[in-house]
Every structure is written in C-alpha cells, then in structure tokens.
Amino acid sequence: MELIKNPPPSEADIEAAKAVVKEKGEAVAQLKSAKAGKAEITASVAELDKAKENLSRLEELSKLKPGIPQKDGKIDYSQDFFAHQAFLTVSGQLQVETYACAVSSVHTFGPTFRAEHSHTSRHLAEFWWWSLK
C-alpha cells in the first residue's frame, strides 16, 4: 500500500542524487586542496554525508516493487523471503496485550514461528514460547 501512495524514485531521481553527491564531493576536495578551515571542511563533509545518505535511500527504494511478486499469474516464491511457500501463525500475543491492560498478570504459551532466513540446526525458526506480561 505504501508503494502505491509513494512510488519508488525514477532513474532520473537517482541520477540527480548522484550528481549532487559528485558536486558535494568536488566541493570537499576543493576546500581541502585550498587548505580551508576545519569548520568549513567539516560542514562541507556533513553536506556530502547527507547527500550520500539520500542517494542510498533512493537506491534502496528503487529496488522495491509494489505487490506480491508473480510469475505466469502465480506467486513467485523464488523472490519470497523463505524462497518457498511458508505458513506463519497468528499468535495470542496481540490479544494478550489487551488482557494485560485489564488484568495485571497474563501469559501465553504456544508455538512461535520466526521469519529468519536460515535453514540450519543452529537457527530456531519454530519453537514454543512462554510469554509473561
């Protein structure tokens, strides 16, 4: 939904951000070669850092695609987090939060599934959880 309201940046937006980074980098280089004051160089470096952060954010946003990845009209699980069809539980955690406001002591005990991208014996993706509130 967020990507529909705020579409990813265009290639032109990214190129403009790259140009700003290049411009700010050249400004820092000029100040250093002119042996400008430390405060002036620091301020210019801070502007360069902000421009780099903005470029990085735009590049990350440009990779996002709205909706569920599909291939031939079906969900493309190869682009999904687990790389195959997976089913996650809805735990009682959300409901217990409201009960915790009404009564002082509540707990939940049940299966928990973590969305961890690992299939090794040292990573728990499924376990039983006892939560006290």
Side-chain angles (χ1 to χ4, degrees):
M1 187 69 165
E2 181 67 25
L3 284 174
I4 294 170
K5 291 180 184 176
N6 301 312
S10 67
E11 194 61 39
D13 294 333
I14 294 172
E15 290 303 318
K18 286 180 181 178
V20 170
V21 168
K22 184 177 179 183
E23 175 187 318
K24 300 291 183 186
E26 289 170 354
V28 169
Q30 287 177 348
L31 288 172
K32 286 182 177 181
S33 66
K35 300 195 190 283
K38 184 175 181 175
E40 195 174 1
I41 293 174
T42 302
S44 188
V45 167
E47 289 179 17
L48 173 61
D49 288 342
K50 285 181 186 178
K52 285 180 177 179
E53 286 175 19
N54 184 50
L55 173 60
S56 177
R57 185 179 56 80
L58 289 176
E59 287 175 335
E60 284 299 314
L61 288 174
S62 71
K63 295 176 187 175
L64 299 176
K65 305 286 184 239
I68 298 171
Q70 295 192 352
K71 186 176 186 178
D72 300 326
K74 295 182 179 178
I75 296 174
D76 184 7
Y77 289 107
S78 68
Q79 296 183 33
D80 186 57
F81 184 79
F82 288 106
H84 59 81
Q85 188 172 7
F87 302 96
L88 300 178
T89 184
V90 176
S91 71
Q93 191 69 29
L94 183 61
Q95 290 82 5
V96 87
E97 294 292 335
T98 58
Y99 292 128
C101 293
V103 295
S104 61
S105 297
V106 294
H107 72 271
T108 60
F109 181 71
T112 302
F113 304 90
R114 286 190 175 159
E116 292 185 8
H117 194 44
S118 59
H119 299 285
T120 69
S121 60
R122 295 191 304 167
H123 289 87
L124 289 176
E126 303 175 22
F127 57 93
W128 283 81
W129 181 278
W130 184 20
S131 176
L132 302 171
K133 299 288 176 199

